[in-house]
Amino acid sequence: MAQVQRMSRLMVKTLRDDPADAETLNHKLLVRAGYVRRTSAGIWSWLPLGKKVLENITRVVREEMDAIGGQEVLLPALLPKEAYDASGRYEEYGDLLFRLKDRKGADYLLGPTHEEIFTQVVKDQCSSYKDLPVILYQIQTKYRDEARPRAGVLRGREFQMKDSYSFDTTDEGLVESYQLHRDAYIRIFERLGLDHRIVSAVSGAMGGSASEEFLAPAPAGEDTFVDCPACEYAANTEAVTFTAAAADATSHGPVEELDTPDTPTIETLAAHLGVPASATLKNLLVKVDGEIVAVGVPGDREVDLGKLGEHLAPAEVELVTAEDFVDRPDLVRGYVGPQGLAKVRYIADPRIAPGTAWVTGANKPDTHVKNVVCGRDFEVDDYLDVVVVEDGDPCPKCGTGLKLDRAIEIGHIFQLGRKFADAFQLDVLGQNGKPVRVTMGSYGIGVSRAVAALAEQTADDKGLCWPREIAPADVHVVAAGKALQTELALEVAEKLSAVGLRVLVDERPGVSPGVKFTDAELIGVPKILVAGRRSAEGVVELKDRRTGEREELTVAEAITRLSA
């Protein structure tokens, strides 16, 4: 027999108005429907209804992880600094890491993710190839000191996450473990009712040979991804690549100097010369671990600093300031060109292909040059895809114009390789009696983020609208008000419970039918059963929360329909 939860005894306080600080749909509705309450910036309390949804998502994740042979553990959230020093991530995480000291002055941190600690566990527990492969996972609270927590539970300073790790002795084994997780994630998100896309991603500071993200399209999403309407290509914008063919350098004339006073920006330069911005070469100066680096892109495009940072991780990337020009007379602010640059690494987008000619800075005030040819007049040290991707950019696979969309990251999988195994010297004895370095995969699902993503994707103008698998109840029974209706509502609730359905029954005295109906739609249980005007006849009204379809049924018919 399943549980019957009476609204009169449930700790829930619904609100008619949106919270003043709420910007996203999930933030507004989860608070208004009494699922969560804000404790402080980025820190949320999960109330009874919210905890039920969170636990239902956790159950689905756990069932699918167990199905691929995953073994659940629970590691500490309070972690010693030494493990993260060994991997280099104590410094790499920067301000995102919560750091603290104990009473003896020893350094600790609150875990943002647990690659280091899982590696240590396997090093302690596994000594032979016979002990592998193994998949370990946990569902736990993680911590990141977000500078600007926002969007409700979508971007908090603490959050629920499933993180799992695979350990294999061969690269082929890692690929198999990765595929097991990929397939499990597809099943998880299908069971949760999440519309999702699997997109190529960059590994960044995590390292490794392959990385994919699972994204839930939603206007509130903080990730931008591209879809190709003509083929199966999809990728995070940071992973989109571009290939340009080399041009014929001999078709361009010699470098010609141009007098261009007061034109330190692409816009002023293009207007002064009467040329399109795409004919100019923009050179952005950044500092990479303190060293000045120039980044070249066509003048009509912007540098994606996030993308650049991912390519150069774990190095720290920041824009130069006016002070950085003081001791560098070779760098003329607003008039930098790649030709003749001394002691400056030059990174360029692939669109700056060999043989292409550009209008660019002459490295002296109020002066530009034209016919500056890549490969003839300057060299590129490194080609990296660093421009902000735009709607209509060509698909790397088929050339069709790409479509941009917003999404919430709900999962991320990595083939880590041996980065962490090398840091901790994780070896096992191989079949030949010699040590074998273990290779790893890392796989995350944002459990609390999934709650927010579902709210964003499934809500309507009346409130939340949960898929049955994760809803806080299967049926929301509403007593329209009178004693007879309340009696029938409680009777039906018990009968539904007896056939295994989870029931929320609103029998609150002194609450008007209108308020009860509004709350039922706000809370978002998939089926609403109303004991109303025909209660004396034993007839109830069954409403589908998503479609709004209604039908009158006898109690027996309603139970049969709902338990089918």
Side-chain angles (χ1 to χ4, degrees), residues 356-368:
T356 54
W358 304 90
V359 176
T360 191
N363 297 310
K364 58 183 181 180
D366 297 326
T367 310
H368 284 81

Side-chain angles (χ1 to χ4, degrees), residues 325-348:
F325 289 89
V326 173
D327 297 322
R328 294 295 302 265
D330 57 319
L331 301 177
V332 182
R333 193 172 189 181
Y335 296 90
V336 171
Q339 70 288 352
L341 277 183
K343 300 179 181 179
V344 175
R345 177 184 174 192
Y346 194 71
I347 295 172

Side-chain angles (χ1 to χ4, degrees), residues 265-288:
T265 67
I266 293 296
E267 291 75 14
T268 54
L269 174 64
H272 180 84
L273 296 177
V275 299
S278 59
T280 68
L281 177 58
K282 180 186 297 182
N283 301 289
L284 179 72
L285 298 181
V286 298
K287 288 189 291 186
V288 179

Side-chain angles (χ1 to χ4, degrees), residues 61 78 90 120-121 175 229 236 252 255 261 313 318 352 369 374 407 516 524 564:
V61 171
L78 180 63
Y90 191 78
Q120 290 180 327
V121 167
V175 171
N236 187 301
H252 305 297
V255 174
E318 57 184 328
I352 316 301
V369 286
C374 180
K516 291 180 179 180

Side-chain angles (χ1 to χ4, degrees), residues 159-176:
F159 50 93
Q160 292 291 308
M161 179 179 170
K162 186 283 299 177
D163 52 324
S164 58
Y165 306 88
S166 62
F167 298 84
D168 290 272
T169 55
T170 65
D171 293 337
E172 294 77 13
L174 170 58
V175 171
E176 290 179 14

Side-chain angles (χ1 to χ4, degrees), residues 22-67:
E23 299 175 352
T24 58
L25 193 59
N26 87 85
H27 187 176
K28 295 172 184 176
L29 293 179
L30 290 174
V31 172
R32 283 185 54 209
Y35 282 75
V36 299
R37 284 291 184 271
R38 181 180 181 273
T39 301
S40 67
I43 301 174
W44 293 87
S45 297
W46 291 83
L47 303 181
L49 287 175
K51 186 65 164 60
K52 287 178 184 291
V53 170
L54 200 61
E55 286 301 317
N56 286 335
I57 291 177
T58 299
R59 171 181 50 79
V60 171
V61 171
R62 180 174 285 118
E63 288 172 359
E64 295 297 341
M65 287 304 303
D66 290 348

